[in-house]
Coordinates of all heavy atoms in Angstrom, one line a residue:
L1212 N -25.6 9.4 -31.0 CA -26.2 10.7 -31.3 C -27.7 10.6 -31.4 O -28.2 9.8 -32.1 CB -25.6 11.3 -32.5 CG -26.1 12.7 -32.9 CD1 -25.7 13.7 -31.9 CD2 -25.6 13.1 -34.3
F1213 N -28.3 11.5 -30.6 CA -29.8 11.5 -30.6 C -30.2 12.9 -31.1 O -29.8 13.9 -30.5 CB -30.3 11.2 -29.2 CG -31.8 11.3 -29.1 CD1 -32.6 10.3 -29.7 CD2 -32.5 12.3 -28.4 CE1 -34.0 10.3 -29.6 CE2 -33.8 12.4 -28.3 CZ -34.6 11.4 -28.9
T1214 N -31.0 13.0 -32.2 CA -31.4 14.3 -32.7 C -32.9 14.4 -33.0 O -33.5 13.3 -33.2 CB -30.6 14.7 -34.0 OG1 -31.0 13.7 -35.0 CG2 -29.1 14.8 -33.8
R1215 N -33.4 15.6 -33.0 CA -34.7 15.8 -33.5 C -34.6 17.1 -34.3 O -34.1 18.1 -33.8 CB -35.8 15.9 -32.4 CG -36.1 14.6 -31.8 CD -36.8 13.7 -32.8 NE -37.1 12.4 -32.3 CZ -36.4 11.3 -32.4 NH1 -35.2 11.3 -33.0 NH2 -36.8 10.1 -31.9
H1216 N -35.1 17.1 -35.5 CA -35.1 18.3 -36.4 C -36.6 18.7 -36.6 O -37.4 17.9 -36.9 CB -34.5 17.9 -37.8 CG -33.1 17.6 -37.8 ND1 -32.6 16.4 -37.3 CD2 -32.0 18.3 -38.2 CE1 -31.2 16.4 -37.4 NE2 -30.9 17.6 -37.9
C1217 N -36.8 20.0 -36.3 CA -38.2 20.5 -36.4 C -38.2 21.5 -37.5 O -37.6 22.6 -37.5 CB -38.6 21.1 -35.1 SG -38.6 20.0 -33.7
V1218 N -39.0 21.2 -38.5 CA -39.2 22.1 -39.7 C -40.4 23.0 -39.4 O -41.5 22.5 -39.1 CB -39.4 21.3 -41.0 CG1 -39.7 22.2 -42.2 CG2 -38.2 20.4 -41.3
T1219 N -40.2 24.3 -39.6 CA -41.3 25.3 -39.4 C -41.3 26.3 -40.6 O -40.3 26.5 -41.3 CB -41.1 26.1 -38.1 OG1 -39.8 26.7 -38.1 CG2 -41.2 25.1 -36.9
N1220 N -42.4 27.0 -40.7 CA -42.6 28.1 -41.6 C -42.2 27.7 -43.1 O -41.5 28.5 -43.7 CB -41.8 29.3 -41.2 CG -42.2 29.8 -39.8 OD1 -43.3 29.5 -39.4 ND2 -41.4 30.6 -39.2
F1221 N -42.6 26.5 -43.5 CA -42.2 26.0 -44.8 C -43.0 26.9 -45.8 O -44.2 27.1 -45.8 CB -42.6 24.6 -45.0 CG -42.1 24.0 -46.3 CD1 -40.9 23.4 -46.3 CD2 -42.9 24.0 -47.4 CE1 -40.4 22.8 -47.5 CE2 -42.4 23.5 -48.6 CZ -41.2 22.9 -48.7
L1222 N -42.2 27.5 -46.8 CA -42.8 28.4 -47.8 C -42.2 28.0 -49.1 O -41.0 28.0 -49.4 CB -42.4 29.8 -47.4 CG -42.8 30.9 -48.3 CD1 -44.4 31.0 -48.4 CD2 -42.2 32.2 -47.9
L1223 N -43.1 27.8 -50.1 CA -42.7 27.6 -51.5 C -42.5 29.0 -52.1 O -43.4 29.8 -52.1 CB -43.8 26.8 -52.2 CG -43.4 26.4 -53.6 CD1 -42.3 25.3 -53.6 CD2 -44.6 25.9 -54.4
V1224 N -41.3 29.3 -52.5 CA -41.0 30.7 -52.9 C -40.9 30.8 -54.5 O -41.1 31.9 -55.0 CB -39.7 31.3 -52.3 CG1 -39.9 31.5 -50.8 CG2 -38.5 30.4 -52.6
E1225 N -40.8 29.7 -55.1 CA -40.7 29.7 -56.6 C -41.0 28.3 -57.1 O -40.7 27.3 -56.5 CB -39.2 30.1 -57.0 CG -39.0 30.5 -58.4 CD -37.6 31.0 -58.6 OE1 -37.1 31.8 -57.8 OE2 -37.0 30.6 -59.6
H1226 N -41.6 28.3 -58.3 CA -42.0 27.0 -59.0 C -42.0 27.3 -60.5 O -42.7 28.2 -60.9 CB -43.3 26.5 -58.4 CG -43.8 25.4 -59.2 ND1 -45.0 25.4 -59.8 CD2 -43.3 24.2 -59.5 CE1 -45.2 24.2 -60.5 NE2 -44.1 23.5 -60.3
S1227 N -41.3 26.4 -61.2 CA -41.3 26.4 -62.6 C -41.2 25.0 -63.1 O -40.1 24.5 -63.0 CB -40.2 27.4 -63.1 OG -40.2 27.3 -64.6
G1228 N -42.2 24.5 -63.7 CA -42.2 23.1 -64.2 C -41.8 22.1 -63.2 O -42.5 21.9 -62.1
S1229 N -40.7 21.4 -63.4 CA -40.3 20.3 -62.5 C -39.3 20.8 -61.4 O -38.6 20.0 -60.8 CB -39.7 19.2 -63.3 OG -38.6 19.6 -64.0
V1230 N -39.1 22.1 -61.2 CA -38.2 22.6 -60.2 C -39.0 23.6 -59.3 O -39.8 24.3 -59.7 CB -37.1 23.4 -60.9 CG1 -36.1 24.0 -59.9 CG2 -36.3 22.5 -61.9
A1231 N -38.6 23.5 -58.0 CA -39.3 24.3 -57.0 C -38.2 24.8 -56.0 O -37.2 24.1 -55.8 CB -40.4 23.6 -56.3
K1232 N -38.4 26.0 -55.5 CA -37.5 26.5 -54.4 C -38.4 26.7 -53.2 O -39.5 27.3 -53.3 CB -36.8 27.8 -54.8 CG -35.8 27.5 -55.9 CD -35.1 28.8 -56.3 CE -34.1 28.5 -57.4 NZ -33.3 29.7 -57.7
A1233 N -37.9 26.4 -52.0 CA -38.6 26.6 -50.8 C -37.6 27.1 -49.7 O -36.4 27.0 -49.9 CB -39.1 25.2 -50.3
E1234 N -38.2 27.7 -48.7 CA -37.5 28.2 -47.6 C -38.2 27.8 -46.3 O -39.4 27.7 -46.4 CB -37.3 29.7 -47.6 CG -36.5 30.3 -48.8 CD -36.5 31.8 -48.8 OE1 -37.1 32.5 -48.0 OE2 -35.8 32.3 -49.7
F1235 N -37.5 27.5 -45.3 CA -38.1 27.1 -44.0 C -37.1 27.3 -42.9 O -36.0 27.5 -43.0 CB -38.6 25.6 -44.1 CG -37.5 24.6 -44.4 CD1 -36.7 24.0 -43.4 CD2 -37.2 24.2 -45.7 CE1 -35.8 23.1 -43.7 CE2 -36.3 23.3 -46.0 CZ -35.5 22.7 -45.0
G1236 N -37.7 27.3 -41.7 CA -36.9 27.3 -40.5 C -36.6 25.9 -40.0 O -37.4 25.0 -40.2
L1237 N -35.4 25.8 -39.3 CA -35.1 24.5 -38.8 C -34.5 24.6 -37.4 O -33.6 25.4 -37.2 CB -34.0 23.8 -39.7 CG -33.5 22.4 -39.3 CD1 -34.6 21.4 -39.5 CD2 -32.3 22.0 -40.2

Side-chain angles (χ1 to χ4, degrees):
L1212 179 62
F1213 179 70
T1214 61
R1215 286 297 180 261
H1216 293 75
C1217 300
V1218 174
T1219 57
N1220 300 340
F1221 189 89
L1222 178 66
L1223 188 69
V1224 294
E1225 196 174 312
H1226 170 238
S1227 178
S1229 63
V1230 177
K1232 292 183 181 179
E1234 295 178 359
F1235 56 90
L1237 181 67

